[in-house]
Amino acid sequence: MAMFNNKSLRKYWFSLIISLKEDTVYIASVLAWRVRSVLRVLVVYVLWSSMLLGYENVSHYSRTTLLSYVLLTMIIQAVVFSSRTIDISNDISSGDLTNILLKPINYFKYYLAQDLGNKAMNLVFSIAEFSLFIYFFRPPLFLQSDLALLAISLLLLILAVFIYYFLNIILGFLALYNPENVWAPRFLFIMIVDFLAGSLFPLDILPPVLFKLLMLTPFPYFLYFPTAVYLGKFTGVSLVFYSFMGMVWLFAFSRLAIVLWRRGLKVYEAWGR
């Protein structure tokens, strides 16, 4: 039996559309999120531009590749870090999960569709913001001409989306075991990711030992690794090895999410439902 059929796809397509409509209803929240993202990129860009005055290179990055890195993360963050999975803990702690469980849908696919709808909208905003940024600031940009690296970068971006999706689901499922303490782990996660994913600077300007240790964690695969591959910083054996590491993290998080879900449902309680 096929994993998806037309009727099944229609259900999750409607979920994606509903996610888009909900985001347009709460457009003020979306705009606040986008303004925050743009301001962060703008601050980092201005900081690095100022630091590079009079210098052509920082570490093994030229001015063009370093500023390109900063700007590319604007789009990648919109795709990877926008997520509706933050609502999972609210579903569980409020008891709304019961209503979803009664419906003939797969909870993982349901939230994946919700996520994709949210990412699509943020991507549109991000491309518009990127275009305006290019128009007003005229920054130097590195354009990758190697089609193979372009394709690999895109695949790694998709890999990053799924790693982030399952890691967020894991954080949400913790509410199945402790519904009264759902924000502390997520807040810590946000603080860690903001630094270790490479949103502030390319991670390979760190000392080599620290960089290699960091590449064994899942965080660089959200932003740094897809961007660095696009810029040509990984080729050959290193590209294959770290791509494999990303797939290992995806497999580990997906399996852990399934285990937490199955065991968590056995202890899930919804009072008054």
Side-chain angles (χ1 to χ4, degrees):
M1 185 177 179
M3 184 178 179
F4 290 100
N5 53 47
N6 290 336
K7 188 177 293 186
S8 174
L9 284 173
R10 197 177 303 121
K11 287 188 299 187
Y12 301 111
W13 172 254
F14 286 144
S15 178
L16 186 152
I17 298 300
I18 290 170
S19 175
L20 282 171
K21 290 182 177 179
E22 287 177 348
D23 286 334
T24 56
V25 169
Y26 300 105
I27 193 66
S29 298
V30 175
L31 290 176
W33 163 260
R34 295 310 314 157
V35 168
R36 172 185 175 275
S37 300
V38 170
L39 287 177
R40 180 171 61 178
V41 172
L42 183 60
V43 168
V44 175
Y45 178 83
V46 171
L47 177 64
W48 277 111
S49 294
S50 301
M51 292 175 61
L52 287 167
L53 288 176
Y55 296 93
E56 285 300 319
N57 296 282
V58 172
S59 185
H60 51 279
Y61 281 85
S62 67
R63 177 183 176 85
T64 297
T65 54
L66 185 54
L67 294 180
S68 296
Y69 176 91
V70 172
L71 293 177
L72 284 170
T73 58
M74 177 190 294
I75 295 179
I76 294 178
Q77 285 183 73
V79 176
V80 177
F81 287 167
S82 56
S83 179
R84 293 296 298 271
T85 52
I86 194 172
D87 296 332
I88 290 176
S89 55
N90 293 330
D91 288 345
I92 295 169
S93 58
S94 67
D96 289 337
L97 175 61
T98 303
N99 296 330
I100 301 175
L101 292 175
L102 293 174
K103 298 174 182 177
I105 58 175
N106 180 290
Y107 194 72
F108 287 85
K109 296 176 187 175
Y110 167 75
Y111 259 104
L112 178 59
Q114 294 264 308
D115 244 24
L116 292 177
N118 186 260
K119 291 179 189 301
M121 188 193 63
N122 276 280
L123 179 59
V124 171
F125 274 103
S126 182
I127 291 174
E129 295 155 5
F130 183 82
S131 301
L132 289 173
F133 198 97
I134 298 300
Y135 178 79
F136 285 109
F137 289 90
R138 309 284 181 175
L141 285 178
F142 174 83
L143 299 178
Q144 180 57 259
S145 58
D146 189 325
L147 295 181
L149 283 180
L150 282 172
I152 294 171
S153 300
L154 181 59
L155 291 174
L156 291 173
L157 177 58
I158 295 171
L159 178 67
V161 166
F162 279 97
I163 296 174
Y164 191 78
Y165 167 73
F166 280 110
L167 186 50
N168 266 280
I169 275 189
I170 289 169
L171 291 173
F173 286 170
L174 294 179
L176 289 166
Y177 304 88
N178 188 7
E180 297 172 357
N181 184 23
V182 296
W183 285 109
R186 188 168 292 278
F187 177 76
L188 181 62
F189 170 71
I190 292 172
M191 295 297 292
I192 292 174
V193 165
D194 208 38
F195 180 77
L196 298 183
S199 62
L200 302 178
F201 55 87
L203 299 177
D204 52 348
I205 68 174
L206 294 170
V209 174
L210 181 58
F211 169 68
K212 289 179 180 179
L213 289 174
L214 192 55
M215 287 299 293
L216 298 178
T217 72
F219 306 112
Y221 301 95
F222 297 143
L223 287 180
Y224 164 74
F225 189 52
T227 310
V229 170
Y230 171 85
L231 295 174
K233 298 298 180 180
F234 289 89
T235 56
V237 175
S238 64
L239 175 58
V240 173
F241 175 77
Y242 288 118
S243 298
F244 175 75
M245 282 298 304
M247 289 185 283
V248 168
W249 280 115
L250 174 59
F251 176 78
F253 286 143
S254 62
R255 297 310 303 171
L256 179 58
I258 292 171
V259 170
L260 289 175
W261 171 249
R262 289 174 177 171
R263 294 183 179 178
L265 287 181
K266 296 178 181 178
V267 299
Y268 169 68
E269 294 178 336
W271 294 277
R273 294 282 171 174

